[in-house]
Amino acid sequence: DAKTTQPTSMDCAEGRAANLPCNHSTISGNEYVYWYRQIHSQGPQYIIHGLKNNETNEMASLIITEDRKSSTLILPHATLRDTAVYYCIASSGYALNFGKGTSLLVTP
Amino acid sequence: DSGVTQTPKHLITATGQRVTLRCSPRSGDLSVYWYQQSLDQGLQFLIQYYNGEERAKGNILERFSAQQFPDLHSELNLSSLELGDSALYFCASSNYMTSGRNYEQFFGPGTRLTVL
């Protein structure tokens, strides 16, 4: 699976959009981009995934560049409960190889 | 609540001992995954089972073993425990697609293992 690179930490004001970038420049054609988050020491929670096209669900939007070398997770209106570690994962198969993720702090 | 249950929540034991962690997947999910999260290694994939059979292996030590039973629950056995095995152990389940994709994994609350 391709290696992903994310900023270590980010801040966002409550109510604003949180844009979390991820670099996956070596991603191969059959690898999906997944985003999960982990709040404190709870089990990780699935957010969204995509292959080539931009995706949106009730939690977030995923924007994947045309060359698929990077992506951005967008939380449109961040709340304090969105404070968590966000993981971007490129995977073609079964296992999810979590990296260090981005620690997002949403402030009042 | 993801629908995945793990027992026990906490486990404290001594070096050299053996423990068993249990996981019940979401109703209908045939695939079970085990992950280890430690402070220095982060969240690592250990092993996956699908309908009772081992499907994929990650960084699982030889001292560790797992199995999935006919009722689909899974157990992770850790033996000859060392201080470094202290970690959070998560189980996840998914509705495994025939294509091999696991689009969404549902994680349990984890078992915190402390080896003294």
Side-chain angles (χ1 to χ4, degrees), chain A residues 30 32 34 36 38 41-44 46 49 87 92-96 98, chain B residues 33 35 37 43 45 48 90 96 100-105 107-108 112:
Chain A
N30 65 342
Y32 281 71
Y34 297 86
Y36 279 74
Q38 187 175 25
S41 293
Q42 296 176 23
Y46 166 86
H49 77 278
Y87 298 96
S92 61
Y94 319 103
L96 297 175
F98 292 80
Chain B
Y33 312 78
Y35 292 84
Q37 186 169 34
L43 192 56
F45 167 71
Q48 179 207 359
F90 289 106
Y96 182 83
R101 302 284 184 193
N102 57 339
Y103 295 116
E104 180 176 359
Q105 292 185 24
F107 282 77
R112 184 174 292 280

PDB file of all heavy atoms in Angstrom, chain A residues 30 32 34 36 38 41-44 46 49 87 92-96 98, chain B residues 33 35 37 43 45 48 90 96 100-105 107-108 112:
ATOM      1  N   ASN A  30      -5.211   0.749  -8.288  1.00  0.00           N
ATOM      2  CA  ASN A  30      -6.268  -0.027  -7.625  1.00  0.00           C
ATOM      3  C   ASN A  30      -6.372   0.295  -6.134  1.00  0.00           C
ATOM      4  O   ASN A  30      -7.067  -0.393  -5.399  1.00  0.00           O
ATOM      5  CB  ASN A  30      -6.018  -1.526  -7.808  1.00  0.00           C
ATOM      6  CG  ASN A  30      -4.736  -1.978  -7.112  1.00  0.00           C
ATOM      7  OD1 ASN A  30      -3.885  -1.154  -6.789  1.00  0.00           O
ATOM      8  ND2 ASN A  30      -4.605  -3.262  -6.891  1.00  0.00           N
ATOM      9  N   TYR A  32      -7.586   2.551  -3.064  1.00  0.00           N
ATOM     10  CA  TYR A  32      -8.561   3.537  -2.639  1.00  0.00           C
ATOM     11  C   TYR A  32      -7.929   4.440  -1.582  1.00  0.00           C
ATOM     12  O   TYR A  32      -7.006   4.047  -0.873  1.00  0.00           O
ATOM     13  CB  TYR A  32      -9.782   2.849  -2.029  1.00  0.00           C
ATOM     14  CG  TYR A  32     -10.745   2.279  -3.033  1.00  0.00           C
ATOM     15  CD1 TYR A  32     -10.405   1.148  -3.794  1.00  0.00           C
ATOM     16  CD2 TYR A  32     -11.996   2.845  -3.233  1.00  0.00           C
ATOM     17  CE1 TYR A  32     -11.293   0.625  -4.712  1.00  0.00           C
ATOM     18  CE2 TYR A  32     -12.888   2.330  -4.147  1.00  0.00           C
ATOM     19  CZ  TYR A  32     -12.534   1.229  -4.878  1.00  0.00           C
ATOM     20  OH  TYR A  32     -13.413   0.708  -5.788  1.00  0.00           O
ATOM     21  N   TYR A  34      -8.829   6.099   1.920  1.00  0.00           N
ATOM     22  CA  TYR A  34      -9.780   6.021   3.030  1.00  0.00           C
ATOM     23  C   TYR A  34      -9.421   7.081   4.067  1.00  0.00           C
ATOM     24  O   TYR A  34      -8.255   7.391   4.279  1.00  0.00           O
ATOM     25  CB  TYR A  34      -9.684   4.656   3.737  1.00  0.00           C
ATOM     26  CG  TYR A  34     -10.028   3.459   2.894  1.00  0.00           C
ATOM     27  CD1 TYR A  34      -9.069   2.855   2.091  1.00  0.00           C
ATOM     28  CD2 TYR A  34     -11.299   2.906   2.937  1.00  0.00           C
ATOM     29  CE1 TYR A  34      -9.381   1.729   1.319  1.00  0.00           C
ATOM     30  CE2 TYR A  34     -11.616   1.794   2.185  1.00  0.00           C
ATOM     31  CZ  TYR A  34     -10.650   1.214   1.377  1.00  0.00           C
ATOM     32  OH  TYR A  34     -10.960   0.110   0.629  1.00  0.00           O
ATOM     33  N   TYR A  36     -10.245   7.802   8.160  1.00  0.00           N
ATOM     34  CA  TYR A  36     -10.795   7.385   9.445  1.00  0.00           C
ATOM     35  C   TYR A  36     -10.400   8.436  10.482  1.00  0.00           C
ATOM     36  O   TYR A  36      -9.455   9.198  10.283  1.00  0.00           O
ATOM     37  CB  TYR A  36     -10.225   6.029   9.886  1.00  0.00           C
ATOM     38  CG  TYR A  36     -10.873   4.827   9.251  1.00  0.00           C
ATOM     39  CD1 TYR A  36     -10.614   4.498   7.921  1.00  0.00           C
ATOM     40  CD2 TYR A  36     -11.747   4.019   9.972  1.00  0.00           C
ATOM     41  CE1 TYR A  36     -11.212   3.398   7.334  1.00  0.00           C
ATOM     42  CE2 TYR A  36     -12.348   2.907   9.397  1.00  0.00           C
ATOM     43  CZ  TYR A  36     -12.074   2.605   8.079  1.00  0.00           C
ATOM     44  OH  TYR A  36     -12.667   1.508   7.499  1.00  0.00           O
ATOM     45  N   GLN A  38     -10.016   8.999  14.955  1.00  0.00           N
ATOM     46  CA  GLN A  38      -9.998   8.369  16.262  1.00  0.00           C
ATOM     47  C   GLN A  38     -10.098   9.458  17.314  1.00  0.00           C
ATOM     48  O   GLN A  38      -9.224  10.332  17.398  1.00  0.00           O
ATOM     49  CB  GLN A  38      -8.737   7.541  16.463  1.00  0.00           C
ATOM     50  CG  GLN A  38      -8.743   6.736  17.750  1.00  0.00           C
ATOM     51  CD  GLN A  38      -7.541   5.827  17.886  1.00  0.00           C
ATOM     52  OE1 GLN A  38      -6.493   6.069  17.303  1.00  0.00           O
ATOM     53  NE2 GLN A  38      -7.689   4.751  18.653  1.00  0.00           N
ATOM     54  N   SER A  41      -9.037   7.658  22.840  1.00  0.00           N
ATOM     55  CA  SER A  41      -8.599   6.269  22.688  1.00  0.00           C
ATOM     56  C   SER A  41      -9.740   5.344  22.273  1.00  0.00           C
ATOM     57  O   SER A  41      -9.676   4.136  22.474  1.00  0.00           O
ATOM     58  CB  SER A  41      -8.010   5.767  24.004  1.00  0.00           C
ATOM     59  OG  SER A  41      -6.822   6.453  24.290  1.00  0.00           O
ATOM     60  N   GLN A  42     -10.741   5.933  21.639  1.00  0.00           N
ATOM     61  CA  GLN A  42     -11.851   5.101  21.159  1.00  0.00           C
ATOM     62  C   GLN A  42     -11.426   4.363  19.893  1.00  0.00           C
ATOM     63  O   GLN A  42     -10.375   4.668  19.304  1.00  0.00           O
ATOM     64  CB  GLN A  42     -13.057   5.982  20.841  1.00  0.00           C
ATOM     65  CG  GLN A  42     -13.632   6.695  22.031  1.00  0.00           C
ATOM     66  CD  GLN A  42     -14.773   7.620  21.634  1.00  0.00           C
ATOM     67  OE1 GLN A  42     -15.406   7.438  20.583  1.00  0.00           O
ATOM     68  NE2 GLN A  42     -15.043   8.613  22.449  1.00  0.00           N
ATOM     69  N   GLY A  43     -12.215   3.419  19.455  1.00  0.00           N
ATOM     70  CA  GLY A  43     -11.932   2.732  18.207  1.00  0.00           C
ATOM     71  C   GLY A  43     -12.042   3.704  17.039  1.00  0.00           C
ATOM     72  O   GLY A  43     -12.897   4.593  17.043  1.00  0.00           O
ATOM     73  N   PRO A  44     -11.193   3.558  16.029  1.00  0.00           N
ATOM     74  CA  PRO A  44     -11.288   4.432  14.861  1.00  0.00           C
ATOM     75  C   PRO A  44     -12.666   4.356  14.221  1.00  0.00           C
ATOM     76  O   PRO A  44     -13.347   3.328  14.288  1.00  0.00           O
ATOM     77  CB  PRO A  44     -10.211   3.868  13.923  1.00  0.00           C
ATOM     78  CG  PRO A  44      -9.220   3.231  14.836  1.00  0.00           C
ATOM     79  CD  PRO A  44     -10.046   2.656  15.952  1.00  0.00           C
ATOM     80  N   TYR A  46     -14.833   5.152  10.647  1.00  0.00           N
ATOM     81  CA  TYR A  46     -14.782   5.400   9.207  1.00  0.00           C
ATOM     82  C   TYR A  46     -15.442   6.739   8.892  1.00  0.00           C
ATOM     83  O   TYR A  46     -16.486   7.091   9.465  1.00  0.00           O
ATOM     84  CB  TYR A  46     -15.520   4.277   8.478  1.00  0.00           C
ATOM     85  CG  TYR A  46     -15.838   4.549   7.027  1.00  0.00           C
ATOM     86  CD1 TYR A  46     -14.914   4.281   6.027  1.00  0.00           C
ATOM     87  CD2 TYR A  46     -17.080   5.063   6.667  1.00  0.00           C
ATOM     88  CE1 TYR A  46     -15.228   4.514   4.691  1.00  0.00           C
ATOM     89  CE2 TYR A  46     -17.394   5.303   5.332  1.00  0.00           C
ATOM     90  CZ  TYR A  46     -16.471   5.026   4.357  1.00  0.00           C
ATOM     91  OH  TYR A  46     -16.774   5.266   3.035  1.00  0.00           O
ATOM     92  N   HIS A  49     -14.455   7.259   1.777  1.00  0.00           N
ATOM     93  CA  HIS A  49     -13.413   6.702   0.923  1.00  0.00           C
ATOM     94  C   HIS A  49     -13.702   7.088  -0.521  1.00  0.00           C
ATOM     95  O   HIS A  49     -14.839   7.447  -0.867  1.00  0.00           O
ATOM     96  CB  HIS A  49     -13.309   5.178   1.068  1.00  0.00           C
ATOM     97  CG  HIS A  49     -14.382   4.420   0.356  1.00  0.00           C
ATOM     98  ND1 HIS A  49     -15.635   4.219   0.897  1.00  0.00           N
ATOM     99  CD2 HIS A  49     -14.405   3.831  -0.863  1.00  0.00           C
ATOM    100  CE1 HIS A  49     -16.374   3.527   0.054  1.00  0.00           C
ATOM    101  NE2 HIS A  49     -15.658   3.280  -1.024  1.00  0.00           N
ATOM    102  N   TYR A  87      -6.871   9.986  10.073  1.00  0.00           N
ATOM    103  CA  TYR A  87      -5.948   9.136   9.337  1.00  0.00           C
ATOM    104  C   TYR A  87      -6.357   9.043   7.871  1.00  0.00           C
ATOM    105  O   TYR A  87      -7.512   8.747   7.558  1.00  0.00           O
ATOM    106  CB  TYR A  87      -5.933   7.722   9.911  1.00  0.00           C
ATOM    107  CG  TYR A  87      -5.465   7.610  11.343  1.00  0.00           C
ATOM    108  CD1 TYR A  87      -6.376   7.566  12.386  1.00  0.00           C
ATOM    109  CD2 TYR A  87      -4.108   7.527  11.637  1.00  0.00           C
ATOM    110  CE1 TYR A  87      -5.954   7.443  13.698  1.00  0.00           C
ATOM    111  CE2 TYR A  87      -3.675   7.396  12.941  1.00  0.00           C
ATOM    112  CZ  TYR A  87      -4.595   7.359  13.978  1.00  0.00           C
ATOM    113  OH  TYR A  87      -4.169   7.235  15.264  1.00  0.00           O
ATOM    114  N   SER A  92      -5.276  -1.159  -1.142  1.00  0.00           N
ATOM    115  CA  SER A  92      -5.876  -1.917  -2.231  1.00  0.00           C
ATOM    116  C   SER A  92      -6.551  -3.177  -1.730  1.00  0.00           C
ATOM    117  O   SER A  92      -7.180  -3.893  -2.502  1.00  0.00           O
ATOM    118  CB  SER A  92      -4.804  -2.312  -3.245  1.00  0.00           C
ATOM    119  OG  SER A  92      -3.837  -3.135  -2.627  1.00  0.00           O
ATOM    120  N   GLY A  93      -6.423  -3.461  -0.459  1.00  0.00           N
ATOM    121  CA  GLY A  93      -6.914  -4.756  -0.016  1.00  0.00           C
ATOM    122  C   GLY A  93      -7.566  -4.746   1.331  1.00  0.00           C
ATOM    123  O   GLY A  93      -8.401  -3.917   1.632  1.00  0.00           O
ATOM    124  N   TYR A  94      -7.133  -5.666   2.123  1.00  0.00           N
ATOM    125  CA  TYR A  94      -7.853  -5.943   3.339  1.00  0.00           C
ATOM    126  C   TYR A  94      -7.432  -5.072   4.516  1.00  0.00           C
ATOM    127  O   TYR A  94      -8.256  -4.521   5.214  1.00  0.00           O
ATOM    128  CB  TYR A  94      -7.631  -7.409   3.715  1.00  0.00           C
ATOM    129  CG  TYR A  94      -7.672  -8.337   2.527  1.00  0.00           C
ATOM    130  CD1 TYR A  94      -6.517  -8.857   1.978  1.00  0.00           C
ATOM    131  CD2 TYR A  94      -8.888  -8.676   1.941  1.00  0.00           C
ATOM    132  CE1 TYR A  94      -6.560  -9.705   0.883  1.00  0.00           C
ATOM    133  CE2 TYR A  94      -8.933  -9.515   0.848  1.00  0.00           C
ATOM    134  CZ  TYR A  94      -7.768 -10.026   0.330  1.00  0.00           C
ATOM    135  OH  TYR A  94      -7.803 -10.851  -0.747  1.00  0.00           O
ATOM    136  N   ALA A  95      -6.144  -4.973   4.708  1.00  0.00           N
ATOM    137  CA  ALA A  95      -5.650  -4.312   5.910  1.00  0.00           C
ATOM    138  C   ALA A  95      -5.624  -2.807   5.753  1.00  0.00           C
ATOM    139  O   ALA A  95      -5.439  -2.281   4.659  1.00  0.00           O
ATOM    140  CB  ALA A  95      -4.244  -4.804   6.216  1.00  0.00           C
ATOM    141  N   LEU A  96      -5.835  -2.130   6.834  1.00  0.00           N
ATOM    142  CA  LEU A  96      -5.678  -0.686   6.868  1.00  0.00           C
ATOM    143  C   LEU A  96      -4.394  -0.391   7.614  1.00  0.00           C
ATOM    144  O   LEU A  96      -4.242  -0.757   8.767  1.00  0.00           O
ATOM    145  CB  LEU A  96      -6.864  -0.038   7.589  1.00  0.00           C
ATOM    146  CG  LEU A  96      -8.227  -0.225   6.943  1.00  0.00           C
ATOM    147  CD1 LEU A  96      -9.307   0.353   7.826  1.00  0.00           C
ATOM    148  CD2 LEU A  96      -8.260   0.412   5.552  1.00  0.00           C
ATOM    149  N   PHE A  98      -2.554   2.260   9.249  1.00  0.00           N
ATOM    150  CA  PHE A  98      -2.674   3.612   9.779  1.00  0.00           C
ATOM    151  C   PHE A  98      -1.287   4.204   9.975  1.00  0.00           C
ATOM    152  O   PHE A  98      -0.397   3.544  10.459  1.00  0.00           O
ATOM    153  CB  PHE A  98      -3.398   3.589  11.124  1.00  0.00           C
ATOM    154  CG  PHE A  98      -4.851   3.214  11.056  1.00  0.00           C
ATOM    155  CD1 PHE A  98      -5.228   1.880  10.943  1.00  0.00           C
ATOM    156  CD2 PHE A  98      -5.843   4.175  11.119  1.00  0.00           C
ATOM    157  CE1 PHE A  98      -6.558   1.529  10.879  1.00  0.00           C
ATOM    158  CE2 PHE A  98      -7.187   3.825  11.061  1.00  0.00           C
ATOM    159  CZ  PHE A  98      -7.545   2.503  10.934  1.00  0.00           C
TER     160      PHE A  98
ATOM    161  N   TYR B  33     -10.999  -8.247  11.900  1.00  0.00           N
ATOM    162  CA  TYR B  33      -9.619  -7.774  11.854  1.00  0.00           C
ATOM    163  C   TYR B  33      -9.161  -7.473  13.275  1.00  0.00           C
ATOM    164  O   TYR B  33      -9.937  -7.012  14.102  1.00  0.00           O
ATOM    165  CB  TYR B  33      -9.513  -6.475  11.041  1.00  0.00           C
ATOM    166  CG  TYR B  33     -10.214  -6.510   9.704  1.00  0.00           C
ATOM    167  CD1 TYR B  33     -11.594  -6.365   9.618  1.00  0.00           C
ATOM    168  CD2 TYR B  33      -9.493  -6.667   8.525  1.00  0.00           C
ATOM    169  CE1 TYR B  33     -12.246  -6.391   8.403  1.00  0.00           C
ATOM    170  CE2 TYR B  33     -10.138  -6.688   7.294  1.00  0.00           C
ATOM    171  CZ  TYR B  33     -11.517  -6.557   7.243  1.00  0.00           C
ATOM    172  OH  TYR B  33     -12.159  -6.581   6.032  1.00  0.00           O
ATOM    173  N   TYR B  35      -6.163  -5.263  15.434  1.00  0.00           N
ATOM    174  CA  TYR B  35      -5.163  -4.204  15.370  1.00  0.00           C
ATOM    175  C   TYR B  35      -4.577  -3.992  16.762  1.00  0.00           C
ATOM    176  O   TYR B  35      -5.241  -4.189  17.775  1.00  0.00           O
ATOM    177  CB  TYR B  35      -5.793  -2.879  14.910  1.00  0.00           C
ATOM    178  CG  TYR B  35      -6.268  -2.861  13.487  1.00  0.00           C
ATOM    179  CD1 TYR B  35      -7.530  -3.352  13.149  1.00  0.00           C
ATOM    180  CD2 TYR B  35      -5.467  -2.346  12.472  1.00  0.00           C
ATOM    181  CE1 TYR B  35      -7.977  -3.335  11.832  1.00  0.00           C
ATOM    182  CE2 TYR B  35      -5.915  -2.315  11.150  1.00  0.00           C
ATOM    183  CZ  TYR B  35      -7.162  -2.817  10.853  1.00  0.00           C
ATOM    184  OH  TYR B  35      -7.610  -2.796   9.548  1.00  0.00           O
ATOM    185  N   GLN B  37      -2.563  -1.024  19.048  1.00  0.00           N
ATOM    186  CA  GLN B  37      -2.155   0.382  19.107  1.00  0.00           C
ATOM    187  C   GLN B  37      -1.299   0.612  20.341  1.00  0.00           C
ATOM    188  O   GLN B  37      -1.783   0.538  21.466  1.00  0.00           O
ATOM    189  CB  GLN B  37      -3.361   1.317  19.137  1.00  0.00           C
ATOM    190  CG  GLN B  37      -2.978   2.787  19.064  1.00  0.00           C
ATOM    191  CD  GLN B  37      -4.172   3.691  18.824  1.00  0.00           C
ATOM    192  OE1 GLN B  37      -5.277   3.435  19.292  1.00  0.00           O
ATOM    193  NE2 GLN B  37      -3.967   4.769  18.070  1.00  0.00           N
ATOM    194  N   LEU B  43      -1.044   2.582  15.314  1.00  0.00           N
ATOM    195  CA  LEU B  43      -2.099   1.586  15.097  1.00  0.00           C
ATOM    196  C   LEU B  43      -1.661   0.646  13.987  1.00  0.00           C
ATOM    197  O   LEU B  43      -1.531   1.046  12.836  1.00  0.00           O
ATOM    198  CB  LEU B  43      -3.387   2.316  14.720  1.00  0.00           C
ATOM    199  CG  LEU B  43      -4.692   1.541  14.700  1.00  0.00           C
ATOM    200  CD1 LEU B  43      -4.952   0.869  16.026  1.00  0.00           C
ATOM    201  CD2 LEU B  43      -5.831   2.481  14.363  1.00  0.00           C
ATOM    202  N   PHE B  45      -2.005  -3.147  11.905  1.00  0.00           N
ATOM    203  CA  PHE B  45      -2.817  -4.288  11.541  1.00  0.00           C
ATOM    204  C   PHE B  45      -2.102  -5.574  11.938  1.00  0.00           C
ATOM    205  O   PHE B  45      -0.914  -5.745  11.682  1.00  0.00           O
ATOM    206  CB  PHE B  45      -3.069  -4.273  10.031  1.00  0.00           C
ATOM    207  CG  PHE B  45      -3.634  -5.547   9.468  1.00  0.00           C
ATOM    208  CD1 PHE B  45      -4.939  -5.914   9.735  1.00  0.00           C
ATOM    209  CD2 PHE B  45      -2.858  -6.368   8.671  1.00  0.00           C
ATOM    210  CE1 PHE B  45      -5.459  -7.088   9.217  1.00  0.00           C
ATOM    211  CE2 PHE B  45      -3.361  -7.541   8.149  1.00  0.00           C
ATOM    212  CZ  PHE B  45      -4.669  -7.907   8.423  1.00  0.00           C
ATOM    213  N   GLN B  48      -6.361 -10.764   9.750  1.00  0.00           N
ATOM    214  CA  GLN B  48      -7.750 -10.745   9.317  1.00  0.00           C
ATOM    215  C   GLN B  48      -8.265 -12.166   9.128  1.00  0.00           C
ATOM    216  O   GLN B  48      -7.552 -13.019   8.608  1.00  0.00           O
ATOM    217  CB  GLN B  48      -7.901 -10.003   7.984  1.00  0.00           C
ATOM    218  CG  GLN B  48      -9.336  -9.987   7.475  1.00  0.00           C
ATOM    219  CD  GLN B  48      -9.464  -9.868   5.969  1.00  0.00           C
ATOM    220  OE1 GLN B  48      -8.473  -9.785   5.262  1.00  0.00           O
ATOM    221  NE2 GLN B  48     -10.688  -9.847   5.477  1.00  0.00           N
ATOM    222  N   PHE B  90      -7.570  -3.519  19.232  1.00  0.00           N
ATOM    223  CA  PHE B  90      -8.874  -3.281  18.628  1.00  0.00           C
ATOM    224  C   PHE B  90      -9.247  -4.424  17.704  1.00  0.00           C
ATOM    225  O   PHE B  90      -8.409  -4.977  16.989  1.00  0.00           O
ATOM    226  CB  PHE B  90      -8.874  -1.985  17.809  1.00  0.00           C
ATOM    227  CG  PHE B  90      -8.805  -0.738  18.617  1.00  0.00           C
ATOM    228  CD1 PHE B  90      -7.634   0.006  18.686  1.00  0.00           C
ATOM    229  CD2 PHE B  90      -9.916  -0.287  19.322  1.00  0.00           C
ATOM    230  CE1 PHE B  90      -7.565   1.167  19.435  1.00  0.00           C
ATOM    231  CE2 PHE B  90      -9.864   0.880  20.072  1.00  0.00           C
ATOM    232  CZ  PHE B  90      -8.684   1.602  20.131  1.00  0.00           C
ATOM    233  N   TYR B  96     -17.449  -7.911   4.147  1.00  0.00           N
ATOM    234  CA  TYR B  96     -16.424  -8.205   3.162  1.00  0.00           C
ATOM    235  C   TYR B  96     -17.033  -8.459   1.790  1.00  0.00           C
ATOM    236  O   TYR B  96     -17.919  -9.268   1.646  1.00  0.00           O
ATOM    237  CB  TYR B  96     -15.654  -9.428   3.637  1.00  0.00           C
ATOM    238  CG  TYR B  96     -14.506  -9.878   2.773  1.00  0.00           C
ATOM    239  CD1 TYR B  96     -13.272  -9.272   2.889  1.00  0.00           C
ATOM    240  CD2 TYR B  96     -14.659 -10.933   1.893  1.00  0.00           C
ATOM    241  CE1 TYR B  96     -12.203  -9.706   2.127  1.00  0.00           C
ATOM    242  CE2 TYR B  96     -13.603 -11.370   1.131  1.00  0.00           C
ATOM    243  CZ  TYR B  96     -12.371 -10.750   1.260  1.00  0.00           C
ATOM    244  OH  TYR B  96     -11.326 -11.183   0.503  1.00  0.00           O
ATOM    245  N   GLY B 100     -12.950  -8.321  -2.594  1.00  0.00           N
ATOM    246  CA  GLY B 100     -11.806  -8.207  -1.702  1.00  0.00           C
ATOM    247  C   GLY B 100     -11.687  -6.860  -1.047  1.00  0.00           C
ATOM    248  O   GLY B 100     -10.787  -6.604  -0.273  1.00  0.00           O
ATOM    249  N   ARG B 101     -12.612  -5.976  -1.368  1.00  0.00           N
ATOM    250  CA  ARG B 101     -12.536  -4.638  -0.780  1.00  0.00           C
ATOM    251  C   ARG B 101     -13.220  -4.638   0.585  1.00  0.00           C
ATOM    252  O   ARG B 101     -14.237  -5.271   0.788  1.00  0.00           O
ATOM    253  CB  ARG B 101     -13.265  -3.631  -1.672  1.00  0.00           C
ATOM    254  CG  ARG B 101     -12.726  -3.567  -3.069  1.00  0.00           C
ATOM    255  CD  ARG B 101     -11.441  -2.827  -3.121  1.00  0.00           C
ATOM    256  NE  ARG B 101     -10.971  -2.697  -4.498  1.00  0.00           N
ATOM    257  CZ  ARG B 101      -9.763  -2.304  -4.827  1.00  0.00           C
ATOM    258  NH1 ARG B 101      -8.907  -2.005  -3.882  1.00  0.00           N
ATOM    259  NH2 ARG B 101      -9.398  -2.212  -6.088  1.00  0.00           N
ATOM    260  N   ASN B 102     -12.662  -3.888   1.489  1.00  0.00           N
ATOM    261  CA  ASN B 102     -13.332  -3.698   2.775  1.00  0.00           C
ATOM    262  C   ASN B 102     -13.585  -2.219   2.918  1.00  0.00           C
ATOM    263  O   ASN B 102     -12.829  -1.487   3.503  1.00  0.00           O
ATOM    264  CB  ASN B 102     -12.479  -4.227   3.915  1.00  0.00           C
ATOM    265  CG  ASN B 102     -11.117  -3.592   3.962  1.00  0.00           C
ATOM    266  OD1 ASN B 102     -10.639  -3.056   2.983  1.00  0.00           O
ATOM    267  ND2 ASN B 102     -10.485  -3.624   5.106  1.00  0.00           N
ATOM    268  N   TYR B 103     -14.642  -1.766   2.294  1.00  0.00           N
ATOM    269  CA  TYR B 103     -14.854  -0.331   2.194  1.00  0.00           C
ATOM    270  C   TYR B 103     -14.977   0.359   3.532  1.00  0.00           C
ATOM    271  O   TYR B 103     -14.551   1.477   3.702  1.00  0.00           O
ATOM    272  CB  TYR B 103     -16.097  -0.045   1.343  1.00  0.00           C
ATOM    273  CG  TYR B 103     -15.913  -0.474  -0.082  1.00  0.00           C
ATOM    274  CD1 TYR B 103     -16.683  -1.479  -0.631  1.00  0.00           C
ATOM    275  CD2 TYR B 103     -14.948   0.124  -0.887  1.00  0.00           C
ATOM    276  CE1 TYR B 103     -16.499  -1.870  -1.942  1.00  0.00           C
ATOM    277  CE2 TYR B 103     -14.760  -0.267  -2.200  1.00  0.00           C
ATOM    278  CZ  TYR B 103     -15.548  -1.265  -2.720  1.00  0.00           C
ATOM    279  OH  TYR B 103     -15.364  -1.662  -4.017  1.00  0.00           O
ATOM    280  N   GLU B 104     -15.554  -0.311   4.487  1.00  0.00           N
ATOM    281  CA  GLU B 104     -15.725   0.308   5.790  1.00  0.00           C
ATOM    282  C   GLU B 104     -15.540  -0.737   6.864  1.00  0.00           C
ATOM    283  O   GLU B 104     -16.214  -1.770   6.843  1.00  0.00           O
ATOM    284  CB  GLU B 104     -17.116   0.926   5.896  1.00  0.00           C
ATOM    285  CG  GLU B 104     -17.392   1.594   7.232  1.00  0.00           C
ATOM    286  CD  GLU B 104     -18.744   2.288   7.268  1.00  0.00           C
ATOM    287  OE1 GLU B 104     -19.454   2.268   6.239  1.00  0.00           O
ATOM    288  OE2 GLU B 104     -19.084   2.853   8.319  1.00  0.00           O
ATOM    289  N   GLN B 105     -14.648  -0.471   7.757  1.00  0.00           N
ATOM    290  CA  GLN B 105     -14.464  -1.340   8.907  1.00  0.00           C
ATOM    291  C   GLN B 105     -15.056  -0.674  10.127  1.00  0.00           C
ATOM    292  O   GLN B 105     -14.890   0.529  10.337  1.00  0.00           O
ATOM    293  CB  GLN B 105     -12.974  -1.630   9.155  1.00  0.00           C
ATOM    294  CG  GLN B 105     -12.343  -2.481   8.078  1.00  0.00           C
ATOM    295  CD  GLN B 105     -10.915  -2.852   8.384  1.00  0.00           C
ATOM    296  OE1 GLN B 105     -10.488  -2.874   9.540  1.00  0.00           O
ATOM    297  NE2 GLN B 105     -10.158  -3.161   7.354  1.00  0.00           N
ATOM    298  N   PHE B 107     -15.060  -0.534  14.119  1.00  0.00           N
ATOM    299  CA  PHE B 107     -14.140  -0.876  15.209  1.00  0.00           C
ATOM    300  C   PHE B 107     -14.863  -1.004  16.540  1.00  0.00           C
ATOM    301  O   PHE B 107     -15.783  -0.234  16.846  1.00  0.00           O
ATOM    302  CB  PHE B 107     -13.059   0.203  15.340  1.00  0.00           C
ATOM    303  CG  PHE B 107     -11.973   0.082  14.304  1.00  0.00           C
ATOM    304  CD1 PHE B 107     -12.185   0.506  13.004  1.00  0.00           C
ATOM    305  CD2 PHE B 107     -10.731  -0.454  14.630  1.00  0.00           C
ATOM    306  CE1 PHE B 107     -11.184   0.401  12.043  1.00  0.00           C
ATOM    307  CE2 PHE B 107      -9.722  -0.559  13.683  1.00  0.00           C
ATOM    308  CZ  PHE B 107      -9.957  -0.141  12.392  1.00  0.00           C
ATOM    309  N   GLY B 108     -14.397  -1.949  17.331  1.00  0.00           N
ATOM    310  CA  GLY B 108     -14.879  -2.081  18.690  1.00  0.00           C
ATOM    311  C   GLY B 108     -14.208  -1.079  19.608  1.00  0.00           C
ATOM    312  O   GLY B 108     -13.320  -0.326  19.183  1.00  0.00           O
ATOM    313  N   ARG B 112      -7.739  -2.768  26.674  1.00  0.00           N
ATOM    314  CA  ARG B 112      -6.459  -2.207  27.102  1.00  0.00           C
ATOM    315  C   ARG B 112      -5.716  -3.249  27.909  1.00  0.00           C
ATOM    316  O   ARG B 112      -6.171  -3.658  28.977  1.00  0.00           O
ATOM    317  CB  ARG B 112      -6.665  -0.943  27.938  1.00  0.00           C
ATOM    318  CG  ARG B 112      -5.335  -0.281  28.330  1.00  0.00           C
ATOM    319  CD  ARG B 112      -5.548   1.041  29.025  1.00  0.00           C
ATOM    320  NE  ARG B 112      -6.087   2.071  28.148  1.00  0.00           N
ATOM    321  CZ  ARG B 112      -5.380   2.792  27.289  1.00  0.00           C
ATOM    322  NH1 ARG B 112      -4.070   2.584  27.175  1.00  0.00           N
ATOM    323  NH2 ARG B 112      -5.958   3.717  26.566  1.00  0.00           N
TER     324      ARG B 112
END
